[in-house]
Amino acid sequence: MAKIKTQMGRRAFIRNTSLASGGLVLGFSMLNSCKPKDAEKMVAREMPDEWFEINAYLRIGDNGLVTIMSPNPEFGQGVITSMPMIVADELDVEWQDVLVEQANFDQEDYGWQFTGGSQGIRRRWEGLRMAGATAKQMLIAATAETWQVPASEITVSGGMLSHSASDKSAGYGEMAAAAAKLEVPEEVTLKEVKDFTIIGTSKKSVENHKIVTGKPLFGLDYQFDGALVAMVVHPPAFGLQLKSFDGSQIKSMPGIVDVFKIKTLEDGFTRGYFDTNAFTDLVAIVGKTTWEVMNAKKQLNVDWEPIADSKFKMDRFGTEMEVDVPSGLESTEDHYAQMNEMAERSSTTTRKDGNREEVFKTAATVIERSYSCPFLAHNCMEPMNFFAHVTDEGAKLAGPLQAPVLTAPTVAARLGMPAEKINIELTRMGGGFGRRAYGHYAVEAALISREVKAPVKLVYTREDDMTCGIYRPSYRADYKAALDENNNLVAFHVKAGGIPETPLFANRFPAGAVDNYLAQQWEINSNITIGAFRAPRSNFMAGVEQAFLDEVAEAAGKDPIEFRLELLQRAKDNPVGEENEYDPERLAGVLKLVREKSNWPQAPSGTHRGVSAYFCHNSYAAHVVDVTMDGNTPKVEKVVCAIDCGIVINPDAAANMAEGAIVDGVGNAMYGNLSFTDGKPDQNNFDRYKIIRHSEAPKNIEIHFVQNEIDPTGLGEPPFPPVFGALANAIYKATGRRHYHQPFATDKPPLVG
């Protein structure tokens, strides 16, 4: 067992070990954390007469029930169940005796509150274990003092404390009051992995019952007596700004309370990294009902004008920088032309091993390919929304938000209000994917509430959400590989860039596996706002890298999996360079597992297979995609996935998350596309922006996890990027066509050869 020093106070002893957490106490049901049989057992149980708070993460009732706070915002990834599971396991309590609440936004108690980057479980792992273990140790100490026996003689199991020598036993509820008065111990003992009883077992979501019975969990469900409805009108195109408007006509429309201008960020304000906002000058319309406000919005008279070149300051987590915003109305056709030009120019070198120029001159075979992809919209099923009630006493906000700890300072600065007066409650999110890390809509709601001096619920339409950003960038990558006369990979060159950022990861595979390796990057500035999109940058680079490696393997006359494994063996045995980000043994491990589980060499008749493997967000994922042809249309029959993300907390929930990532990946690879004409998005709703349909999803998905005792790493994002490459490789086997541009459904490449 490991002893961990706490070195902190009773309330917030975990603060420094945590990264992300979240807000709204939604309340709890005795049944919400239980399977049906467990629920039946609990129906007869009464709620405790008194609760005793042991630390910020849990309190114990006098009848032994335990309420565990889930610190991170929930948007379908399942942390509202898996995080309390970690606490409960170290606490040694029966899962059916656990009630779960969503924690309030409270940086003092829960640390830096941010959900994203597949960091939730990874960053909270030790802290959540400490919460449970510390409470258990305090209960043992209280029991030892009460019974006047050595603490070392007390055993714990399933929420019961026992002393065999005196034949005494007591439930947690009997000792909770005494334990709550004790000081936090300086050290706590954490369980060995082999002793886990809850971690590693499958538990149903604690919110399943609420979801299927339509309980109000989401931001759009949020109700507040007397709240008005607000909507904003933003410029119709990037590169335009508000010039003037005439609200006199719509003010007389039924239900309309007011129409006015708001400015979300003041000129000269140093923005945080997640204060992305292309349209800071907006028209707000406030009324009594959503329908009345929507009708008024359609009638509003607004004039727009072109923006000028500008700059703003940004604080990127302690690094201050100046960001240029170019003027102009940008179009997708021009974007691709600019990227073609940039690909021909010299670029910034980010890594160089060996002398690839000389090797390419004498290589037996040289393969060169170029890949590109469009902008993508997040399209969370729940459009952006937020509630705000701003008074002189403070600001109460509530809604779906991934980064309350980053949004709160911006709200406070914009309102000119002390940060401690900003109270943000977090609702469940109807999708996040990075989009809800950018909290401009919360700032907008606060400003509107302050102006009308009333509680306000801001609601975006789908068209608002799709046309005011924030998007996955458009990217391009150019690859070049050299084989010697023995068909060994001897040189590799990648040059990648995008609008407005590069997608390159210079130190990922196959870096470290090739003697002569060059990585270069470039960027094209833009006034179109971009931001984190599920597995940022990896969602492009994984697909194109893995598609290109398949072509290289084919040119070398080697099986695609064996080709990758040869390179990974080289990276393990004799790595090139010292900055390689990935563990070649773990990456090889998922390839071997997916080869075994898919029965790789034995594809069913009429089935065409593609493979890919990738490392991102501290985890490893490999896919085998099976495609059949329905006339001229490829259909995904099956996907077999292998993941190494360390210890898996809740296997069923983890598999669900990977399945969702795979379906999302197939959909974006096949259909995802956002284009622009003169700064205006061409797609503003689902009639033009294709989302994968049920009939187009894989008919069967298998998820397999590598079993190890490595501390948990990322899971929400790692299974997503490799899907693009495995699908492209399978489609090539089925059609004889290699896809170099996404989306595949509209890309019409020629037959190879």
Side-chain angles (χ1 to χ4, degrees):
M1 292 187 179
K3 282 188 177 292
I4 305 293
K5 285 191 177 293
T6 56
Q7 299 177 336
M8 304 175 199
R10 186 177 74 84
R11 279 285 298 161
F13 71 93
I14 293 198
R15 191 181 311 147
N16 295 338
T17 68
S18 62
L19 171 67
S21 68
L24 175 64
V25 177
L26 296 170
F28 55 85
S29 158
M30 282 196 301
L31 312 181
N32 69 359
S33 60
C34 306
K35 294 181 179 179
K37 289 184 179 178
D38 296 331
E40 290 172 10
K41 295 176 186 176
M42 290 185 67
V43 167
R45 295 190 64 168
E46 296 180 356
M47 294 301 290
D49 293 325
E50 191 172 1
W51 289 99
F52 303 98
E53 188 176 85
I54 308 299
N55 57 52
Y57 284 75
L58 64 92
R59 59 182 183 265
I60 299 175
D62 54 21
N63 66 346
L65 288 181
V66 179
T67 294
I68 298 178
M69 309 303 291
S70 183
N72 283 36
E74 171 66 48
F75 52 88
Q77 74 276 46
V79 293
I80 199 168
T81 304
S82 56
M83 287 188 173
M85 287 174 65
I86 297 170
V87 178
D89 203 319
E90 288 287 355
L91 181 61
D92 262 326
V93 66
E94 297 288 353
W95 183 243
Q96 65 260 28
D97 292 334
V98 171
L99 313 173
V100 175
E101 292 184 17
Q102 181 72 54
N104 278 317
F105 166 67
D106 190 331
Q107 187 176 359
E108 183 177 352
D109 280 347
Y110 302 114
W112 192 46
Q113 294 182 279
F114 178 85
T115 291
S118 299
Q119 296 296 296
I121 294 293
R122 178 174 181 258
R123 296 292 186 181
R124 289 254 180 223
W125 171 244
E126 185 176 281
L128 291 169
R129 295 181 70 190
M130 286 172 62
T134 302
K136 180 173 72 175
Q137 197 158 321
M138 292 165 70
L139 287 161
I140 290 172
T143 305
E145 186 176 323
T146 301
W147 292 343
Q148 292 297 293
V149 299
S152 59
E153 294 181 5
I154 294 174
T155 58
V156 178
S157 179
M160 293 295 297
L161 300 137
S162 303
H163 184 246
S164 58
S166 62
D167 200 28
K168 290 182 178 180
S169 65
Y172 278 178
E174 297 173 64
M175 297 297 171
K181 298 173 184 176
L182 298 179
E183 292 295 318
V184 173
E186 291 186 4
E187 289 184 337
V188 292
T189 301
L190 301 181
K191 286 184 175 182
E192 299 287 348
V193 173
K194 64 180 177 59
D195 296 323
F196 289 152
T197 58
I198 296 175
I199 295 169
T201 65
S202 290
K203 304 297 181 188
K204 300 300 181 184
S205 169
V206 299
E207 291 196 319
N208 274 354
H209 186 263
K210 293 179 181 179
I211 291 170
V212 299
T213 56
K215 294 295 188 294
L217 297 175
F218 300 91
L220 284 176
D221 297 326
Y222 194 87
Q223 299 294 325
F224 191 91
D225 287 345
L228 300 171
V229 174
M231 289 187 173
V232 294
V233 181
H234 64 82
F238 290 88
L240 295 180
Q241 63 185 358
L242 177 65
K243 181 180 180 181
S244 63
F245 71 97
D246 181 1
S248 58
Q249 181 182 351
I250 68 169
K251 280 186 177 181
S252 61
M253 292 180 68
I256 300 305
V257 173
D258 205 352
V259 184
F260 50 89
K261 173 185 171 180
I262 61 170
K263 189 176 185 65
T264 54
L265 298 174
E266 294 281 19
D267 295 335
F269 175 71
T270 299
R271 302 186 187 187
Y273 187 60
F274 285 92
D275 284 333
T276 301
N277 190 350
F279 306 123
T280 58
D281 289 18
L282 307 166
V283 180
I285 305 174
V286 183
K288 295 179 180 178
T289 68
T290 304
W291 181 246
E292 289 169 324
V293 175
M294 287 180 71
N295 284 332
K297 184 178 176 183
K298 295 174 185 176
Q299 303 297 321
L300 182 67
N301 250 333
V302 192
D303 288 327
W304 314 102
E305 63 182 358
I307 65 170
D309 293 347
S310 62
K311 301 176 185 289
F312 64 83
K313 291 180 180 179
M314 174 183 285
D315 181 349
R316 186 171 182 170
F317 304 115
T319 301
E320 202 162 287
M321 55 196 297
E322 194 168 60
V323 179
D324 292 315
V325 181
S327 59
L329 301 175
E330 303 175 22
S331 297
T332 294
E333 186 176 342
D334 295 333
H335 285 164
Y336 285 126
Q338 290 170 349
M339 288 198 288
N340 290 339
E341 290 177 13
M342 287 297 294
E344 299 299 322
R345 298 180 188 175
S346 60
S347 306
T348 302
T349 296
T350 55
R351 175 165 173 161
K352 184 176 182 180
D353 299 323
N355 189 342
R356 62 104 199 177
E357 293 89 350
E358 291 301 316
V359 175
F360 276 117
K361 290 178 183 177
T362 59
T365 306
V366 175
I367 306 102
E368 293 187 73
R369 298 291 183 266
S370 297
Y371 302 84
S372 60
C373 70
F375 286 87
L376 293 178
H378 291 80
N379 283 326
C380 308
M381 290 307 295
E382 176 194 28
M384 302 303 108
N385 66 91
F386 228 76
F387 167 83
H389 187 198
V390 178
T391 66
D392 292 340
E393 285 69 43
K396 174 184 174 63
L397 287 83
L401 193 63
Q402 290 180 235
V405 73
L406 300 176
T407 300
T410 303
V411 174
R414 187 62 188 87
L415 295 177
M417 187 177 288
E420 58 269 20
K421 289 191 174 184
I422 308 298
N423 174 33
I424 302 180
E425 300 177 352
L426 295 184
T427 61
R428 187 181 177 99
M429 289 175 264
F433 318 113
R435 175 63 182 91
R436 298 193 200 272
Y438 305 90
H440 59 90
Y441 52 98
V443 181
E444 293 162 10
L447 291 173
I448 294 169
S449 173
R450 183 177 69 173
E451 178 68 23
V452 296
K453 295 180 173 55
V456 164
K457 185 174 180 180
L458 172 68
V459 180
Y460 275 31
T461 64
R462 176 65 60 190
E463 289 81 1
D464 290 333
D465 193 22
M466 288 188 66
T467 58
C468 74
I470 295 153
Y471 310 115
R472 195 283 299 271
S474 181
Y475 295 126
R476 173 178 170 132
D478 295 88
Y479 285 92
K480 187 176 182 180
L483 301 173
D484 65 13
E485 62 277 6
N486 296 317
N487 287 322
N488 296 312
L489 180 62
V490 290
F492 194 91
H493 179 197
V494 55
K495 180 191 285 188
I499 299 174
E501 70 169 16
T502 175
L504 183 68
F505 294 96
N507 297 317
R508 291 187 182 174
F509 183 75
V514 187
D515 287 323
N516 305 283
Y517 174 89
L518 180 66
Q520 297 177 304
Q521 64 184 19
W522 49 266
E523 295 177 340
I524 298 172
N525 204 2
S526 171
N527 57 41
I528 296 172
T529 47
I530 59 97
F533 186 101
R534 194 173 198 167
R537 299 188 290 152
S538 296
N539 56 50
F540 173 68
M541 291 304 291
V544 299
E545 168 204 289
Q546 292 294 302
F548 181 65
L549 286 175
D550 251 45
E551 289 212 51
V552 178
E554 184 178 50
K558 297 180 180 180
D559 174 83
I561 293 181
E562 286 301 326
F563 176 70
R564 289 168 171 83
L565 290 175
E566 285 177 14
L567 291 173
L568 288 166
Q569 191 66 42
R570 164 66 198 280
K572 177 187 174 184
D573 295 341
N574 188 20
V576 180
E578 298 179 353
E579 297 182 359
N580 305 319
E581 292 183 17
Y582 62 98
D583 180 336
E585 189 168 7
R586 294 180 71 186
L587 188 52
V590 292
L591 267 170
K592 292 174 182 177
L593 182 59
V594 83
R595 177 176 62 181
E596 172 197 340
K597 296 299 184 181
S598 67
N599 194 16
W600 169 254
Q602 304 297 323
S605 177
T607 298
H608 310 275
R609 288 193 157 162
V611 67
S612 69
Y614 196 69
F615 159 79
C616 74
H617 296 84
N618 308 103
S619 293
Y620 302 80
H623 300 312
V624 168
V625 171
D626 284 359
V627 165
T628 59
M629 294 301 294
D630 181 6
N632 294 323
T633 304
K635 298 286 186 182
V636 180
E637 294 291 331
K638 184 177 182 180
V639 179
V640 179
C641 169
I643 302 172
D644 182 350
C645 60
I647 296 167
V648 177
I649 310 302
N650 188 350
D652 277 1
N656 293 159
M657 189 154 33
E659 290 163 353
I662 288 167
V663 174
D664 198 17
V666 170
N668 279 288
M670 289 297 297
Y671 313 113
N673 180 44
L674 186 77
S675 59
F676 295 84
T677 301
D678 294 330
K680 182 178 182 180
D682 298 318
Q683 299 81 21
N684 64 7
N685 210 318
F686 293 137
D687 59 334
R688 296 183 182 180
Y689 192 98
K690 176 73 181 289
I691 296 290
I692 190 170
R693 305 302 197 255
H694 284 286
S695 62
E696 295 157 341
K699 293 182 173 64
N700 186 16
I701 299 176
E702 289 182 13
I703 309 296
H704 303 276
F705 293 100
V706 173
Q707 300 300 311
N708 57 41
E709 295 187 1
I710 298 171
D711 286 353
T713 51
L715 183 56
E717 287 157 295
F720 179 68
V723 176
F724 294 73
L727 179 58
N729 294 332
I731 290 175
Y732 163 66
K733 297 289 182 61
T735 65
R737 288 180 164 87
R738 293 273 187 192
H739 286 279
Y740 301 103
H741 180 72
Q742 299 167 18
F744 301 156
T746 54
D747 184 35
K748 303 297 180 185
L751 286 166
V752 174

